[in-house]
Amino acid sequence: MRQALAEQPHCISPKFFYDAAGSALFDRICELPEYYPTRTELALLDRHAEEMATLIGPEADLIEFGAGSATKVRLLLAAMQRPRRFVPIDISAEHLQGAAAALRRDHPGLDVHPLAADFTKPIQLPPMADGSRPQRVGFFPGSSIGNFSPDEAVGFLRQAAELLRGGGLLIGTDLVKDPALLHAAYNDAAGVTAAFNLNLLTRANRELGTDFDTRQFAHYAFYEPRLQRIEMHLVSRRTQTVRLGSERFQVMEGQTLHTENSQKFTVEGFRRMARQAGFTPGTVWTDPKQHFAVHWLAA
Ligand code: AVI
């Protein structure tokens, strides 16, 4: 946060959205009528689970990146014959333990091995209990890859291709579409996305001791067609000073804190990126309106 306040333009990583309140707000976003990605991806997983399970293989070691509450993977697990192990990886250990306990309850034979880690860093998977090395398949739903910069996205894919060599990655990507639909998805009528964005300041006040006045910042999200991405910002409603420890930073009226990019992809553009990272792109499933895509990438 210090860097975000001290440097211009003011930018902060979207990973700081996800404290307990932010994660709960994100769960509410997923239910919003305007936010089509979650329900569209769920429908794709539901409709094509058998075909996906065939590609995953009958006894795979399934690894979910940024698992959160691990709800979407249930559709895959239900279609798989004998998943050997499920490794949900998430930065929030608390979120993970709850999700793992619920999965163990619902899949008594499944070895659930949660890993509290930052999956953008190199991952060391724990060995299988019996020393075997089953096919590894990654699952990265939600178009969370869109919250990385293009360089970070290729870096993540490269690392995943190494980790999953011999298996594959099932990954969701939000598609380039009518800007009005995109705009609505990040500017919902109920104001939940605005609350999610502003929660970043509330979190900083609680955890870092800043004194942001959240009423003096406005949620601002727009589609940038040239870069094919949504940008989220917090705009300062007036010139104000923000305290961080013993330092004070001036934020001018109209200046923004850039909190998130959400990249949208074309099917071909994403396949190109995957190839560049060492995958062989395979089947792509899209909905009839072409809002969202799930890709199978062979590693
Ligand atoms: C998690 N991620 C894919 C969401 C997105 O759409 O980029 C985060 C989000 N930000 C605002 N609404 C949802």
Side-chain angles (χ1 to χ4, degrees):
M1 181 54 83
R2 193 194 172 280
Q3 202 178 343
L5 285 169
E7 288 175 8
Q8 300 227 23
H10 305 298
C11 295
I12 190 156
S13 166
K15 67 181 169 198
F16 296 113
F17 279 135
Y18 301 96
D19 64 347
S23 300
L25 284 164
F26 180 64
D27 286 348
R28 282 180 59 199
I29 288 176
C30 293
E31 306 275 319
L32 290 169
E34 297 95 334
Y35 196 75
Y36 59 86
T38 312
R39 61 174 174 278
T40 311
E41 187 179 42
L42 275 169
L44 287 172
L45 294 173
D46 190 36
R47 179 173 312 165
H48 303 289
E50 297 289 334
E51 204 186 332
M52 292 172 183
T54 305
L55 285 164
I56 292 170
E59 298 196 343
D61 189 10
L62 190 60
I63 299 129
E64 180 168 354
F65 301 102
S69 43
T71 32
K72 291 175 184 162
V73 78
R74 286 169 174 269
L75 292 168
L76 297 179
L77 289 170
M80 287 166 71
Q81 285 169 24
R82 286 177 303 277
R84 289 288 296 280
R85 184 169 72 165
F86 175 53
V87 184
I89 307 178
D90 203 284
I91 202 152
S92 155
E94 213 181 345
H95 224 88
L96 261 183
Q97 292 310 332
L103 275 166
R104 284 194 194 103
R105 210 170 37 239
D106 298 341
H107 292 268
L110 181 68
D111 176 9
V112 183
H113 206 302
L115 211 58
D118 179 351
F119 63 83
T120 60
K121 310 256 161 68
I123 297 278
Q124 195 71 36
L125 284 182
M128 300 291 294
D130 62 2
S132 63
R133 166 57 163 96
Q135 162 150 299
R136 286 178 180 171
V137 173
F139 182 48
F140 194 27
S143 200
S144 294
I145 192 153
N147 298 134
F148 292 157
S149 70
D151 283 351
E152 287 167 347
V154 175
F156 165 77
L157 289 173
R158 267 213 184 99
Q159 191 185 300
E162 282 309 309
L163 183 77
L164 305 171
R165 198 57 78 206
L169 175 65
L170 200 57
I171 181 166
T173 60
D174 198 8
L175 293 173
V176 171
K177 61 181 63 63
D178 179 355
L181 283 176
L182 287 165
H183 186 87
Y186 293 81
N187 290 279
D188 60 285
V192 184
T193 310
F196 173 72
N197 200 5
L198 285 159
N199 178 60
L200 199 70
L201 304 184
T202 310
R203 180 182 189 184
N205 287 348
R206 191 183 57 247
E207 294 184 17
L208 308 173
T210 47
D211 64 349
F212 284 108
D213 179 352
T214 54
R215 291 162 308 183
Q216 297 305 333
F217 288 86
H219 167 68
Y220 180 45
F222 58 91
Y223 183 60
E224 164 57 271
R226 206 172 44 86
L227 298 172
Q228 299 185 319
R229 70 186 193 192
I230 288 281
E231 289 191 15
M232 284 214 319
H233 295 252
L234 289 164
V235 188
S236 179
R237 294 185 194 272
R238 59 174 171 83
T239 297
Q240 50 189 319
T241 52
V242 177
R243 181 172 47 80
L244 174 58
S246 57
E247 293 181 279
R248 295 201 149 268
F249 298 90
Q250 190 171 54
V251 185
M252 306 299 285
E253 179 180 352
Q255 262 187 352
T256 79
L257 178 61
H258 187 167
T259 51
E260 186 182 64
N261 291 323
S262 188
Q263 188 71 46
K264 308 305 162 191
F265 302 89
T266 60
V267 166
E268 248 333 295
F270 187 72
R271 284 166 69 91
R272 217 176 305 124
M273 182 189 267
R275 241 179 250 117
Q276 197 188 329
F279 282 104
T280 305
T283 310
V284 188
W285 299 271
T286 57
D287 57 294
K289 292 182 180 160
Q290 303 292 302
H291 283 177
F292 202 88
V294 177
H295 294 252
W296 171 258
L297 308 176

